[in-house]
């Protein structure tokens, strides 16, 4: 952001159009260069989440997958917030046989309440 | 016979950004530096290079007759009146598009390479067959664009195609630059465009009414009015192409005085 943009913001004027142009271009080019539609991106996001969810606990509704471009290199950037346990550690899901037990635990707890 | 001929594609993706004007002025400027130069009009659908060079009335044969072996190359080449180092190979009939193949363009350019130091290919707009045929014959490219979103986006498409076809170097010419609008941040800056497209900048060309005047006359700016803003830009581009180290002017810095200082301050990046 430039000084001009800030002054414009303070005066509630529109920002200079060059920065808008730059941002719109960067976005549209990231997609042009990858030939990926937003639908495909979303599908990819869901599949990546499923894979990651096998190893760490994440919120399936959170997380974004986007394309970022710099110097003609386009990167697929996945931002997946990992849920943490109360003591601040990343909660790792136990291996499958264990996790089955866990889910039973949860069920029985529900039963009690 | 010239060795090490440089075959340069002048392309843009988007139409009307200034390819033909650049081809004509670069042709004149290189010829003036004593370099034998051929400009090839590869825009068979909508040819214009002849008109910009003022050679439209002197065309007898075209690339078409050369390819069909109805005439020799030197019969089709039109020498420029004042700059004898410059020759135009005119585009043929638009119907050529029905049968023209990339190999045909290669054949034409191979013939031109025997006689010239430079071959400049004026591309049609778009990224379809006309462009692909022209690209097949080129080694390096100049991408022309304007500081506008649509022109930059289309340039990006073309750069992608040039990269996959191993054309290099690919350099950028930013045409129709308006220093005032850039200073006011109402136009994409030079850095914006070069960063986004990630290409080295061969030069910029200022917006200049004289371009239209020179087109009316069929005399490229670089031929006479070398003091017009755009003419200087074209001359610098030709020199840089030849490897001369001509510093780039910053159009915003150029405008001097308090106004410019203030504008520069306003442009200071804060975040
Ligand atoms: N620097 C400039 N200043 C002012 N006008 C310009 C400048 N460059 C080009 N023009 C004008 O823009 C128009 C298009 O230029 P030109 O024919 O060179 O573009 P082009 O890319 O070859 O177009 P096409 O894609 O149709 O072949 C012309 O009217 C020309 O006079
Ligand atoms: Mg043209």
């Amino acid at each position: 952001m430039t000084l001009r943009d800030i002054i414009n913001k303070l005066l509630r004027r529109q920002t200079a159009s060059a920065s808008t142009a730059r941002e719109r271009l960067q976005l549209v080019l990231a997609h042009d260069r990858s030939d990926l539609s937003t639908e495909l991106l979303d599908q990819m996001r869901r599949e990546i989440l499923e894979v990651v969810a096998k190893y760490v606990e994440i919120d399936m509704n959170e997380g974004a997958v986007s394309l970022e471009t710099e110097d003609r290199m386009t990167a697929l950037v996945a931002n997946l917030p990992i849920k943490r346990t109360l003591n601040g550690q990343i909660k790792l899901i136990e291996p499958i046989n264990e996790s089955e037990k866990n889910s039973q635990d949860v069920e029985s707890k529900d039963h009690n309440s | 016979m010239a060795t090490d001929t440089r075959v340069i594609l002048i392309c843009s993706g988007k139409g009307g950004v200034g390819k033909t004007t650049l081809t004509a002025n670069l042709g004149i400027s290189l010829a003036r530096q004593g370099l034998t130069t051929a400009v090839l009009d590869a825009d068979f659908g909508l040819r214009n290079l002849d008109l910009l060079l003022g050679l439209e009335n002197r065309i007898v044969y075209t690339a078409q007759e050369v390819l069909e072996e109805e005439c020799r190359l030197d019969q089709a080449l039109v020498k420029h009146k004042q700059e004898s180092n410059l020759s135009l190979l005119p585009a043929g009939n638009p119907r050529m598009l029905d049968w023209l193949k990339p190999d045909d363009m290669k054949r034409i350019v191979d013939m031109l390479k025997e006689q010239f130091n430079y071959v400049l290919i004026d591309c049609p707009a778009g990224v379809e067959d006309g462009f692909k045929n022209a690209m097949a014959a080129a080694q390096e490219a100049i991408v022309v664009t304007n500081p506008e979103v649509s022109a930059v986006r289309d340039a990006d498409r073309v750069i992608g195609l040039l990269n996959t076809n191993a054309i290099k170097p690919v350099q950028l010419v930013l045409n129709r630059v308006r220093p005032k609008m850039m200073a006011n941040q109402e136009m994409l800056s030079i850095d914006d465009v070069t960063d986004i497209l990630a290409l080295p900048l061969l030069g910029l060309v200022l917006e200049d009414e004289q371009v239209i005047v020179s087109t009316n006359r069929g005399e490229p700016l670089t031929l006479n009015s070398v003091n017009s803003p755009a003419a200087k830009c074209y001359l610098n581009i030709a020199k840089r192409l030849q490897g001369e180290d001509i510093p780039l002017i910053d159009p915003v810095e150029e405008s001097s005085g308090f106004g410019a200082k203030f504008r520069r301050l306003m442009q200071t990046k804060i975040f």
Side-chain angles (χ1 to χ4, degrees):
Chain A
M1 190 175 264
T2 61
L3 190 55
R4 184 191 187 88
D5 289 332
I6 294 193
I7 293 172
N8 281 337
K9 217 167 223 169
L10 289 174
L11 297 175
R12 291 174 195 281
R13 279 197 309 221
Q14 276 197 316
T15 51
S17 62
S19 55
T20 316
R22 191 188 322 121
E23 280 154 26
R24 292 178 62 217
L25 260 174
Q26 275 161 344
L27 216 67
V28 79
L29 287 185
H31 284 267
D32 282 359
R33 287 171 185 171
S34 67
D35 274 333
L36 282 175
S37 64
T38 34
E39 277 158 48
L40 272 175
L41 265 181
D42 196 52
Q43 188 182 334
M44 197 153 64
R45 181 187 68 89
R46 271 181 275 120
E47 287 178 20
I48 290 173
L49 280 174
E50 276 166 29
V51 173
V52 177
K54 284 187 194 163
Y55 302 94
V56 288
E57 195 176 314
I58 48 174
D59 187 341
M60 293 298 273
N61 298 317
E62 288 286 307
V65 171
S66 63
L67 292 167
E68 285 173 19
T69 303
E70 204 169 298
D71 278 356
R72 303 203 63 77
M73 294 275 291
T74 299
L76 180 74
V77 181
N79 194 338
L80 313 172
I82 295 171
K83 279 191 183 168
R84 278 157 200 276
T85 52
L86 280 176
N87 57 21
Q89 274 180 338
I90 294 172
K91 194 170 180 179
L92 287 171
I93 291 178
E94 266 103 291
I96 309 260
N97 47 355
E98 294 262 321
S99 68
E100 272 170 25
K101 240 193 273 167
N102 276 357
S103 58
Q104 279 168 2
D105 283 351
V106 174
E107 271 173 28
S108 57
K109 256 185 221 156
D110 284 348
H111 221 80
N112 291 346
S113 59
Chain B
M1 184 172 143
T3 48
D4 296 333
T5 307
R6 287 176 72 179
V7 184
I8 308 177
L9 191 71
I10 303 195
C11 54
S12 68
K14 185 169 158 47
V17 298
K19 296 177 290 295
T20 307
T21 314
L22 176 69
T23 309
N25 280 290
L26 218 46
I28 296 278
S29 310
L30 290 168
R32 286 218 150 162
Q33 293 183 49
L35 299 152
T36 53
T37 304
V39 287
L40 166 57
D41 192 347
D43 195 348
F44 298 103
L46 301 160
R47 62 190 217 186
N48 271 326
L49 190 54
D50 52 349
L51 211 52
L52 261 65
L53 287 165
L55 298 175
E56 70 275 17
N57 292 325
R58 301 178 52 198
I59 296 174
V60 184
Y61 296 110
T62 68
Q64 181 174 359
E65 286 79 35
V66 177
L67 277 171
E68 290 171 338
E69 289 173 16
E70 284 171 22
C71 75
R72 294 188 314 272
L73 176 67
D74 56 281
Q75 289 176 298
L77 284 169
V78 187
K79 241 190 187 114
H80 192 268
K81 288 164 280 189
Q82 286 118 297
E83 288 300 332
S84 60
N85 281 332
L86 178 68
S87 297
L88 164 74
L89 183 57
N93 191 295
R95 275 192 304 262
M96 269 180 92
L97 292 170
D98 298 340
W99 54 265
L100 196 81
K101 291 271 169 307
D103 278 344
D104 296 322
M105 288 298 288
K106 276 189 200 155
R107 256 173 64 209
I108 290 265
V109 168
D110 280 343
M111 285 188 250
L112 291 169
K113 272 165 128 174
E114 302 206 345
Q115 309 184 22
F116 295 94
N117 298 123
Y118 275 88
V119 177
L120 307 179
I121 309 176
D122 182 22
C123 255
V127 290
E128 293 80 30
D129 287 350
F131 165 73
K132 286 181 178 150
N133 288 337
M135 176 169 62
Q139 288 149 3
E140 50 183 299
I142 296 175
V143 175
V144 187
T145 194
N146 299 156
E148 288 180 51
V149 283
S150 53
V152 175
R153 182 192 198 177
D154 292 357
D156 191 75
R157 260 281 135 88
V158 165
I159 295 164
L161 291 170
L162 293 170
N163 286 346
T164 44
N165 284 274
I167 306 277
K168 68 180 161 196
V170 178
Q171 303 182 85
L172 187 71
V173 166
L174 189 56
N175 187 27
R176 310 199 73 155
V177 167
R178 296 166 182 243
K180 254 212 183 106
M181 287 191 77
M182 266 187 195
N184 290 330
Q185 293 174 53
E186 299 292 0
M187 181 172 261
L188 287 165
S189 72
I190 314 280
D191 285 347
D192 286 343
V193 179
T194 53
D195 286 354
I196 288 171
L197 296 178
L199 282 190
L201 184 66
L202 181 62
L204 50 90
V205 183
L206 297 171
E207 172 82 25
D208 184 352
E209 288 177 356
Q210 290 301 312
V211 171
I212 296 167
V213 176
S214 73
T215 312
N216 291 342
R217 297 214 170 98
E219 294 169 357
L221 268 185
T222 40
L223 199 57
N224 307 310
S225 28
V226 283
N227 280 322
S228 92
K232 280 190 207 151
C233 299
Y234 287 124
L235 287 170
N236 283 343
I237 290 170
K239 287 184 189 162
R240 285 192 204 105
L241 209 52
Q242 268 294 93
E244 270 188 64
D245 186 19
I246 313 280
L248 281 164
I249 50 145
D250 180 341
V252 181
E253 298 259 337
E254 271 298 283
S255 38
S256 51
F258 172 75
K261 271 194 195 135
F262 179 67
R263 278 196 293 267
R264 243 170 288 151
L265 176 70
M266 295 287 276
Q267 271 194 341
T268 313
K269 284 223 166 74
I270 310 235
F271 299 118

